[in-house]
Structures are given as C-alpha cells and as structure tokens.
Amino acid sequence: RPRIVADLLDGNLANVHMGTVALGIRNVLCVPLRLVRYIEKADEASDEERIGVLYLDSREKGVLSSSTRTALETLATEAAVAIENARLYRETLEKARLEQEMRIAAEIQQALMPRAAQAGSYFEAGASSLPCRSIGGDFFDYLQRGDGSLGFALGDVAGKGPPAALLSALVQGIFAAQTTAPQGPARSVSQVNDALIRRAIDARFVTVFYALLGHDGTLTYCNAGHNPPMVVGETGVRRLETGGPIVGLFDGAPFEEGSVRLARGEWVIVYSDGVSEARSSSDEEFGDPRLIEVVRGNLQQSPAGMLEAILGAVRKFTEGAPQSDDVTALVVRYLGA
C-alpha cells in the first residue's frame, strides 16, 4: 500500500531512520508497483502482484502533497506494466535462442545417426527414430566389421531431452570405436559399461542390444537390459534375451552372449520401449502381441515397408494421445548366404 511520511523527525521515526535523517531527508513517499493480471472469468478475482516500489523523498517538510501521491500512483501502475512487458520480451528472446539451439542439437543428433537403410550381399536393414522431444535418448547404429559381418546396436538412455541425448552420443561413439576390434558383443557391451562407470554419471543408465550377423546367418548378440528383440519368420517367433543388466548400473557386471541361426527370410526386430509401451488415448498399452501381429503380417515387405507398418500401427494406436517416449525401431532381414 502507498505510504507518506510527512516528517521523519516526528515521534519515534527519527530513531528508526537515523541514517535517512542524517542525509537531511524529511519527507518520504513510497508507492508499490502493482501488476494486475485480469482474469477472463467474471466470477474470479483479478490476480495482483507487487513487483517493486517507487520511492520519492525530499529534504523539505510537507512538499509531497496528495496530488503528487496521485500522480506517482499512476506512474507506478504504468511502470509496473512496462517492467512486466520488458520481462516478457526478454523471456521471448531467451526462448527463441533456446529453440534455435535445440534445432541445431537435433540436426547434429540426426547427423550422428547412420543412413537409415543398409544393405549387403546377405542382409538388408532399416531403422527409424522419432524423439519424444526435439532431441531424444534413443540411438541406433550399424557397424561394418573387418570380417565382413554386420554389427548393429540399439540403445535407450534413461530420461529425455538434452542430458539423455548427450549420453546416447557418448555410448554410440564407444560402439563406433570398436568397429575394428576382434571381440564379441558381450565384451563390447562390457566396455561400454566400464566407460560409464568410470565417468560416474548419476542416474543415467542405458539399455542396449548389440549383435553381429555373419554371412552364414549366425547371429551373436548381447542384450543389456533391453526389451528382448525378436526373430520372426514363417516358422514362429524367438526372443533374444541373453545378456546382462542395464549398462552403467553395476561396476564389473557380467555380460553373456547368446547365439541363434537365422533362416533365409527371417527378420530381427529390435525396438525401444517407446514402441511396445506406447499408450492409447484410453491408456491401453500397445504391447508385444500387437507388434508380433504387425511383423508377421509384413514378412514379405522391404525393411522400409516393415518399419512403416510398425510405426504406422503405433501411430494409429496412439492417435489422440501425447507421445510420452522416444520411438525407435531397427529391422534386419537375412537374405541367405
């Protein structure tokens, strides 16, 4: 509320404001800077906030009249609006700057991803990743090994946004550095785990599936806490579960390798939990059974066609519901030796 002190030497005010009186100040007027936010609904009161004070003093007693007070109250109201507009403008500029930085970060993240479609004499593959925000924590990669085998990985970092994106880039880089190393998937995943443990990144864990596919159809893999991928063909469905715990959680954690033999025409379907745990507007989960049904109905498709069938089914199922997680899938079809 406004306050006028006509004379600081009256009463006990001089003892309270000795420093002010020492400067020769006698007359003081304080007016609050009120910011009123009007509510659209008639039955609700307007929201009022005090964001500062307009202070005026004089060395002459009684010169601050009631008309001066009225003029300063008007000025205080206009000043409050001007200050709020300046704050909103600054926030708008900052938001635009952050959005520009996020666009650049998204472009860099997409550039770090390999070309989505891959093909060789004995395989064809495709992948797609749709982040929940402008940048995400899912990643996929292909690794052409020196022995001619195809390495492929898909990971899902805990969390979303920039922190998850930075960690996914780190893990992707560690895998890429092992392209020429003559070691199996379990050893590669163990090295990723050691690297994350050394950096002591709190509450940042990664689920990873990493596999090597040879010319003869032998698929050697390690599943580190990831959704079990599936091998799907005319004869049925197999799940790829062998591996170990989530990467970055336990120092010295053991990781094992599994191995299966693919038949000509069989598919390896790797996906993040953003696919299987996608929820509809009625909060129903997409689930693995729906995913298997979609895959089995598109066995003769190309990798691009298989991906479109999977992601299209997820989009249709979640229509009307917000995307709550990154959605990533990688598919590999074995063509035969």
Side-chain angles (χ1 to χ4, degrees):
R1 58 185 176 83
R3 177 159 185 204
I4 292 179
V5 179
D7 189 353
L8 286 175
L9 293 180
D10 287 347
N12 296 322
L13 289 175
N15 296 328
V16 178
H17 302 284
M18 292 179 61
T20 308
V21 172
L23 295 174
I25 295 172
R26 299 286 299 276
N27 201 190
V28 174
L29 170 62
C30 294
V31 181
L33 300 181
R34 289 194 182 95
L35 182 65
V36 180
R37 297 182 177 90
Y38 294 100
I39 308 300
E40 293 183 359
K41 296 181 180 179
D43 58 343
E44 294 185 11
S46 298
D47 181 23
E48 182 177 285
E49 179 184 359
R50 290 160 183 80
I51 64 172
V53 62
L54 179 61
Y55 170 89
L56 184 66
D57 61 37
S58 172
R59 287 179 169 81
E60 301 296 330
K61 178 182 176 182
V63 298
L64 299 181
S65 63
S66 59
S67 61
T68 304
R69 170 178 171 172
T70 302
L72 289 178
E73 287 180 349
T74 302
L75 176 59
T77 301
E78 295 179 354
V81 174
I83 292 171
E84 177 68 3
N85 288 342
R87 184 188 68 81
L88 294 174
Y89 179 67
R90 185 174 63 248
E91 285 186 354
T92 301
L93 292 180
E94 180 66 14
K95 182 179 179 181
R97 184 183 66 81
L98 291 175
E99 289 176 349
Q100 174 65 11
E101 290 179 354
M102 293 298 286
R103 281 194 295 269
I104 295 173
E107 291 173 2
I108 293 173
Q109 185 177 49
Q110 289 301 314
L112 290 174
M113 296 286 190
R115 187 165 48 88
Q118 300 283 327
S121 60
Y122 62 97
F123 73 90
E124 53 184 4
S128 177
S129 183
L130 179 62
C132 176
R133 301 176 184 172
S134 55
I135 54 178
D138 286 3
F139 72 91
F140 64 86
D141 208 349
Y142 305 104
L143 306 172
Q144 294 294 341
R145 305 265 296 186
D147 58 3
S149 62
L150 170 69
F152 56 94
L154 191 150
D156 183 356
V157 176
K160 302 176 183 66
L166 287 173
L167 188 55
S168 72
L170 170 65
V171 176
Q172 189 179 356
I174 297 173
F175 274 117
Q178 300 174 20
T179 302
T180 58
Q183 59 190 27
R187 178 58 184 157
S188 296
V189 171
S190 180
Q191 288 181 346
V192 173
N193 184 67
D194 293 343
L196 295 185
I197 294 294
R198 285 197 304 272
R199 286 164 174 80
I201 304 174
D202 293 337
R204 290 294 170 187
F205 313 123
V206 189
T207 67
V208 175
F209 178 82
Y210 178 46
L212 300 176
L213 176 62
H215 290 79
D216 62 354
T218 300
L219 182 75
T220 307
Y221 69 91
C222 179
N223 185 346
H226 200 73
N227 297 72
M230 56 185 73
V231 175
V232 185
E234 297 291 351
T235 58
V237 179
R238 290 175 282 173
R239 305 307 293 260
L240 306 177
E241 300 177 341
T242 304
I246 294 172
V247 171
L249 189 60
F250 301 112
D251 188 9
F255 293 94
E256 301 177 0
E257 284 181 4
S259 182
V260 296
R261 190 70 173 267
L262 302 185
R264 183 190 300 271
E266 281 194 312
W267 290 85
V268 181
I269 310 296
V270 193
Y271 53 96
S272 67
D273 56 9
V275 174
S276 58
E277 296 178 9
R279 293 193 170 274
S280 67
S281 56
S282 60
D283 204 34
E284 183 181 2
E285 191 173 271
F286 186 73
D288 286 349
R290 284 189 178 87
L291 178 59
I292 293 173
E293 182 181 355
V294 171
V295 173
R296 297 189 74 167
N298 292 273
L299 293 178
Q300 304 308 316
Q301 290 277 5
S302 65
M306 178 64 81
L307 282 172
E308 179 55 35
I310 294 173
L311 300 181
V314 173
R315 282 195 301 269
K316 183 177 179 180
F317 180 79
T318 59
E319 188 174 3
Q323 183 180 341
S324 59
D325 201 357
D326 304 329
V327 176
T328 305
L330 185 153
V331 300
V332 179
R333 186 183 188 186
Y334 178 59
L335 303 178

